[in-house]
Amino acid sequence: MIPIARPDIGAEEIAAVTEVLESGMLAQGKRVAALEERWAAEVGVRHAIATSNGTVALMAVFAGLGLEPGDEVITVSHTFAATANAILFTGATPVFVDIEPDTYLIDAKRIEAAITPRTRAIVPVHLFGLVADMDMIQAIADRHGLAVVEDACQAHGAMYRGRKAGGFGHGTFSLYATKNMTTAEGGLITTNDDRLADWLRLYRNQGMRSRYQFEMLGYNFRLTDLAAAIGLAQLDKLERNTARRRAIAAGYDEAFADLPVGTPITPDGRTHVYHQYTLQVGPARDAIVAALRDAGVGADIYYPIPVHRQPYIMERGLHADLPVTDGAAATTLALPMFPGLTDAEQATVIAAVRDAVARFAGTGGSHGAHGTTASAEAEAVAR
Ligand SMILES: Cc1ncc(COP(=O)(O)O)c(C=O)c1O
């Protein structure tokens, strides 16, 4: 099976980890500090704070902003559940707005209608490697005095009008194994707010300013030097790996141009870093995914059940009417996308997609000449 993702771990990471292991200094130390310094420079902000994963990066920022029960945070349901979970863990309430049908990102035009006197923050998710409409989001936030927290967990290095993801409001990144840059597990926060950065550094380390001087209630959200050593090696490769992702995406775009499917769009002024390459294939999606897997192609769905339909969210009365989100969850799929994908593997993926789309696309929808027959076949495969 050609996997959907494969981390790019090589001699550089192995050497970096070995060096840390041999040094005996494993926990948060000089490599974490170096990663933070380099990431802040990379994003173009004053501070980067490393954390043990992206979820706690989000949670720590929300805690630092002082979110509390009764507060509302506007975000999307078309995301990994951690976005909403991090809001919930502060006691605040996620308020879901719908997405744009073509970018799969928060539909900024819908944000103002969701603002109430309890709204404290807007959390755009730069899903799949594309930055949300930050000009409009920032303007709305400024107008209403709201914080902006970017969930850039999937968008390392993505650009919006010359600025990097994570450089607008307070940014949060995941360094999970399959992300564009990884430390196996890890996270990074970016901010220009000196006070928040100081608070976050204390919060992630038991509230300790200096040895056994506990200045506030804190936690252990530290990253290890072992992980940071991997992160530094990954950062060295980020530009090259992003270029490779973009080349793979261009190859897919070209190969699918004549098919009745939607390929990812990149609005003017943005650069996509293709954490995922998402195809819009219509109502035969499940049949197409099944056919791709039969052909040895690890296609996957991000995300099959939107957050607002998860039981623990519905039980909290947080369900919302989000037809575009529901549509994306039902009709899109993601193809193998990682820097190490070989040309031969990509050719296999392309051939399998062309074959599956020819067999199933349009079934239950408007494309294709053999809708009825193929629809029955699609159902059979889907089961
Ligand atoms: C959009 C999004 N938000 C948040 C997270 C949480 O990051 P982590 O898995 O590092 O906790 C992830 C990654 O898994 C993500 O993709």
Side-chain angles (χ1 to χ4, degrees):
M1 184 77 80
I2 300 169
I4 186 89
R6 187 192 291 141
D8 174 25
I9 298 296
E12 305 88 337
E13 287 80 2
I14 292 166
V17 165
T18 305
E19 194 189 324
V20 178
L21 286 173
E22 286 175 353
S23 79
M25 306 293 283
L26 310 185
Q28 180 178 298
K30 67 179 184 187
R31 285 171 188 81
V32 169
L35 179 64
E36 291 177 337
E37 196 176 320
R38 282 191 56 195
W39 191 247
E42 180 78 20
V43 174
V45 293
R46 279 210 293 279
H47 307 280
I49 299 102
T51 58
S52 32
N53 57 63
T55 308
V56 299
L58 280 160
M59 239 175 71
V61 172
F62 295 146
L65 294 175
L67 289 190
E68 56 187 28
D71 289 342
E72 294 174 359
V73 177
I74 293 174
T75 191
V76 286
S77 167
H78 191 59
T79 180
F80 185 58
T83 315
N85 294 352
I87 297 167
L88 285 167
F89 274 120
T90 66
T93 302
V95 174
F96 301 111
V97 301
D98 219 340
I99 55 170
E100 298 170 332
D102 51 358
T103 63
Y104 312 114
L105 303 174
I106 191 165
D107 188 343
K109 297 184 297 302
R110 298 175 189 264
I111 291 175
E112 265 182 321
I115 293 175
T116 76
R118 298 310 308 259
T119 307
R120 296 285 313 280
I122 306 171
V123 181
V125 180
H126 305 326
L127 201 71
F128 305 149
L130 185 66
V131 178
D133 186 347
M134 292 311 297
D135 279 350
M136 193 184 285
I137 292 166
Q138 195 61 61
I140 294 168
D142 290 347
R143 219 164 26 243
H144 296 269
L146 305 175
V148 174
V149 180
E150 300 171 67
D151 182 338
C153 285
Q154 301 187 3
H156 312 73
M159 307 275 294
Y160 178 98
R161 298 195 205 286
R163 290 166 71 184
K164 289 262 173 76
F168 293 84
H170 313 294
T172 56
F173 295 84
S174 168
L175 300 172
Y176 177 66
T178 57
K179 295 294 193 271
N180 290 27
M181 180 180 143
T182 184
T183 58
E185 294 277 8
L188 284 159
I189 299 165
T190 48
T191 183
N192 280 317
D193 183 328
D194 299 341
R195 187 208 59 81
L196 180 66
D198 182 60
W199 188 92
L200 288 165
R201 288 182 203 286
L202 293 180
Y203 188 59
R204 75 156 168 202
N205 189 24
Q206 314 284 9
M208 263 195 289
R209 170 97 42 207
S210 55
R211 200 167 150 77
Y212 302 128
Q213 297 292 316
F214 299 96
E215 203 173 291
M216 57 181 252
L217 177 64
Y219 214 97
N220 176 357
F221 288 152
R222 295 186 300 265
L223 188 72
T224 64
D225 255 27
L226 209 50
I230 302 174
L232 287 163
Q234 290 273 300
L235 185 47
D236 287 339
K237 302 197 284 196
L238 182 63
E239 197 177 326
R240 185 191 80 199
N241 280 344
T242 300
R244 177 69 189 137
R245 284 176 185 273
R246 290 163 58 80
I248 293 167
Y252 280 148
D253 285 349
E254 195 184 329
F256 304 143
D258 62 330
L259 298 186
V261 300
T263 53
I265 72 146
T266 306
D268 283 351
R270 303 185 216 185
T271 58
H272 205 311
V273 297
Y274 296 101
H275 174 59
Q276 299 289 356
Y277 184 91
T278 300
L279 277 185
Q280 166 64 252
V281 296
R285 190 274 309 280
D286 290 349
I288 293 172
V289 169
L292 290 173
R293 288 182 182 163
D294 283 350
V297 171
D300 219 329
I301 299 166
Y302 301 96
Y303 294 88
I305 305 170
V307 177
H308 72 287
R309 292 192 178 278
Q310 299 290 344
Y312 73 99
I313 294 289
M314 309 235 339
E315 279 161 18
R316 287 171 166 78
L318 302 178
H319 185 72
D321 189 21
L322 305 170
V324 186
T325 295
D326 287 335
T331 60
T332 59
L333 61 85
L335 294 178
M337 170 55 82
F338 52 91
L341 187 75
T342 65
D343 292 346
E345 285 173 325
Q346 187 172 17
T348 301
V349 176
I350 288 169
V353 168
R354 295 192 65 86
D355 181 60
V357 167
R359 282 161 64 202
F360 300 116
T363 61
S366 56
H367 306 300
H370 308 293
T372 315
T373 320
S375 183
E377 198 180 341
E379 278 176 24
V381 173
R383 285 189 199 110

